[in-house]
Amino acid sequence: MILWKTLFFSSPTKIIFGKGTEHQVGSEVKNYSSKVLFCYGGGSIKKSGLYDKVVNSLKEAEIEFIELSGVKPNPRLSLVQEGIKLCRENNIDFILAVGGGSVIDTAKAIAMGVPYDGNVWDFFVGRAKLERALPVGVILTIPATGSEASDATVITNENGWFKIGFHHDLIRPKFAIMNPELTYTLPNYQTACGVADIMAHVMERYFTNVKGVDLTDRFCEATLKTVINNVRIVLKDPTNYNARAEIMWAGTIAHNDLLSTGRIGDWASHKIEHELSAIYDIAHGAGLAIIFPAWMKYVYKHDINRFVQFAVRVWDVNLAYENLEDIALEGIRRMTEFFKAIGLPVTLKEAGISDDRFEEMANKCTDNGNKKIGNFIKLGKEDVINIYKLAK
Amino acid sequence: MILWKTLFFSSPTKIIFGKGTEHQVGSEVKNYSSKVLFCYGGGSIKKSGLYDKVVNSLKEAEIEFIELSGVKPNPRLSLVQEGIKLCRENNIDFILAVGGGSVIDTAKAIAMGVPYDGNVWDFFVGRAKLERALPVGVILTIPATGSEASDATVITNENGWFKIGFHHDLIRPKFAIMNPELTYTLPNYQTACGVADIMAHVMERYFTNVKGVDLTDRFCEATLKTVINNVRIVLKDPTNYNARAEIMWAGTIAHNDLLSTGRIGDWASHKIEHELSAIYDIAHGAGLAIIFPAWMKYVYKHDINRFVQFAVRVWDVNLAYENLEDIALEGIRRMTEFFKAIGLPVTLKEAGISDDRFEEMANKCTDNGNKKIGNFIKLGKEDVINIYKLAK
């Protein structure tokens, strides 16, 4: 039995949650800077009126800003480098991200790159150690990645389409402004993708070999049940404040490392999915809805009891305990049905992805077969190919 | 329906959890100071060897220290004032608390008082606003009050035996070192009192009139189930690391305000209990095990559904839903039985407390009947007396 590992936890990001909180952005930023990079995606924040609110709040607080727009899903290194250049040219010392995970991750990577002499990609491939980063603040518009309070950023290098994550406490945002009303206009598909991402962040942590982590097990189950119940409400009633609030807060909790305390997560499914979305530019959440059931079918025999707990406590499976395998499989089946019910693809075919690049992707995520991924079970290149095949 | 209130959350205390972590105290303190007040209770940390470990670690890190020992349960203002004087005389700018909640609360109050010109009691009675406080660090030896990561301190003024709590983000400890092994030697009664305190912190937050706070409801239930299950293990097997770890971590979670997010707690039971332990010097946890069932019986009709959820989800009550009141009462009954089973008193009589000072205590906690306490239901002086009577 593996005992509780040593646990470090600190969640310093100041969460400012509720209706109208976006109007506080100027006064929050003012604590750090009076000249910022205002980073966002496409036109959606202009259409919704959020852009104007941010600009007004910054102006009221007498904060100068330079804009960097055009952040895309699976955010690109080239835009990060453009942002770094802009900051240096304009003596900017704070990055404000207004948007979802891609915008926040871009902001974090810019924050890492500005005070560093070399290429910011060095950090992602382990060629440099992060020692300083500019402070980042967030107004969140899409609950999904949890980047608003996490220590992570995931960037795609177009030169070879490598999508790699980086973790460091220095890049946790200083504040995250979260108004559930800002998510009312999200299309259902994007809401569903966000939920799959949130659930994946929890499940990566849930499937662990560490025994006796009762409280975090229950917190994981609580978070999963909350998003499962509330997304059903939101898809029918997109302006339901309470349900939107539950999903938004669950998205933060799923990835601020509270649910990692005392345990070692898996993270193979994320890596396997990253190869998919790097090549095919499929939404990360949709990719996870495809990969997770396949991963589960491939590994569940490693710890049937854990999958039984998942089935019983999260999916209310109530079969006879004579056959634990049936219970475990029923849990996986219900999760898959749930993803379908909220409008997500659960096979590669449904996402229009053929089987001709499995080997290429498996090579990329296992360093040509030289590296194993995951912790629940260590997976090599052939395992990864088998999981892609199960997801066909 | 009350909507989610605006939510602020930040849990900046650096949690350092695991075996042997107490040896890191010197290097952690060094980040803040090289001259500290080392604050502890009686001889137990000397007997256990923890005192020597702390002293060695501080010496290795070349940190000078002055000692303040003798902190008692329901910690006293006079000792706080002695600590403030010691710090001023010796130019001390950091307080290290080694012990349980009383030691930590004393350290926090000293930290508030040192940079303040007036009497530190001013803060507790609302006569002064806290603007500065010295940093505090903690090595926790008793999981109970959650003070290791909370913004609270509760101090008793011997002049009139007023026991009053104070809250401010400035007094959250900078770090909390938590090694479950340090709790192996706690007597069963003290472990049980700690568990009652932890559960009370959760239940004060659970019984709210705010609707639609699904995730924090489930987190509350998860925390309660975790301590309920694990204290049974610990009372039989005091050196069970996993079970001790669960209780210790649950104690922090119960009071670092994660479980307050999006809701308004009650806190009447705490105030009603504080009057008991101010006068009778009963352990706070034991007092709570007496007051909480009485409070519940007095208020459950205000929101039967909430008490049904509590009974079903926390206490696994599985009666027919034809009579919700039976379900609610069965939940309260099981909680009371649980407190008994872990060795706590559940009536005033069992604690040797007579009924002759009910009015005096009710007067103190309602400002002579001029103030109502609690939020789930607002309670006046007569209500408080009735609750003491139900607890007889």
Side-chain angles (χ1 to χ4, degrees), chain A residues 1 3-4 6-13 15 17 212-215 218-219 222 226 229-230 242 246 249 261, chain B residues 3-4 6-13 15 17 19 212-215 218-219 222 226 229-230 242 246 249 261:
Chain A
M1 190 164 80
L3 288 174
W4 266 56
T6 302
L7 173 169
F8 294 96
F9 176 69
S10 173
S11 186
T13 302
I15 305 288
F17 192 109
V213 282
D214 199 11
L215 184 60
R218 290 180 189 277
F219 276 7
T226 298
N229 292 339
N230 284 285
N242 276 348
E246 290 297 319
W249 185 222
T261 53
Chain B
L3 288 174
W4 265 58
T6 302
L7 174 170
F8 294 95
F9 176 69
S10 172
S11 186
T13 303
I15 306 288
F17 192 109
K19 296 190 179 189
V213 285
D214 199 11
L215 184 60
R218 290 180 189 276
F219 275 8
T226 298
N229 292 338
N230 284 285
N242 276 346
E246 290 297 319
W249 184 222
T261 54

Side-chain angles (χ1 to χ4, degrees), chain A residues 55-213:
Chain A
V55 167
N56 287 340
S57 180
L58 292 176
K59 282 187 177 161
E60 263 173 45
E62 296 178 344
I63 292 162
E64 280 185 74
F65 59 90
I66 305 279
E67 295 185 32
L68 178 73
S69 65
V71 179
K72 298 219 163 34
N74 304 314
R76 310 290 164 82
L77 182 60
S78 56
L79 196 75
V80 170
Q81 279 160 337
E82 197 182 321
I84 294 170
K85 200 160 155 267
L86 270 177
C87 288
R88 286 182 183 156
E89 285 169 2
N90 295 282
N91 286 317
I92 282 173
D93 57 3
F94 187 92
I95 322 289
L96 175 66
V98 180
S102 299
V103 175
I104 305 168
D105 285 5
T106 299
K108 287 173 170 178
I110 295 170
M112 290 158 60
V114 174
Y116 175 62
D117 286 336
N119 184 336
V120 69
W121 191 246
D122 291 351
F123 296 115
F124 292 82
V125 292
R127 273 201 296 266
K129 220 183 122 193
L130 189 70
E131 281 166 4
R132 285 194 303 142
L134 298 187
V136 171
V138 170
I139 300 178
L140 184 67
T141 61
I142 309 172
T145 66
S147 189
E148 64 276 10
S150 83
D151 67 347
T153 174
V154 184
I155 297 293
T156 297
N157 186 340
E158 305 95 313
N159 185 4
W161 298 105
F162 291 99
K163 182 174 178 179
I164 303 184
F166 174 81
H167 293 257
H168 201 292
D169 268 329
L170 278 174
I171 60 172
R172 283 191 200 270
K174 296 298 173 192
F175 65 80
I177 290 175
M178 296 165 63
N179 175 0
E181 293 174 310
L182 299 177
T183 70
Y184 284 178
T185 52
L186 281 176
N188 275 356
Y189 183 69
Q190 211 171 348
T191 297
C193 283
V195 160
D197 196 14
I198 294 167
M199 291 175 67
H201 288 154
V202 180
M203 295 189 296
E204 296 281 18
R205 293 171 165 97
Y206 190 74
F207 292 99
T208 181
N209 295 315
V210 180
K211 303 289 182 196
V213 282

Side-chain angles (χ1 to χ4, degrees), chain B residues 170-206:
Chain B
L170 278 174
I171 59 172
R172 282 191 200 270
K174 298 297 174 192
F175 63 82
I177 290 174
M178 296 164 64
N179 175 0
E181 293 175 310
L182 299 178
T183 70
Y184 285 177
T185 52
L186 281 177
N188 276 356
Y189 183 69
Q190 211 171 347
T191 297
C193 284
V195 161
D197 197 14
I198 293 168
M199 290 175 66
H201 289 154
V202 180
M203 295 188 296
E204 296 280 20
R205 293 170 164 97
Y206 190 74

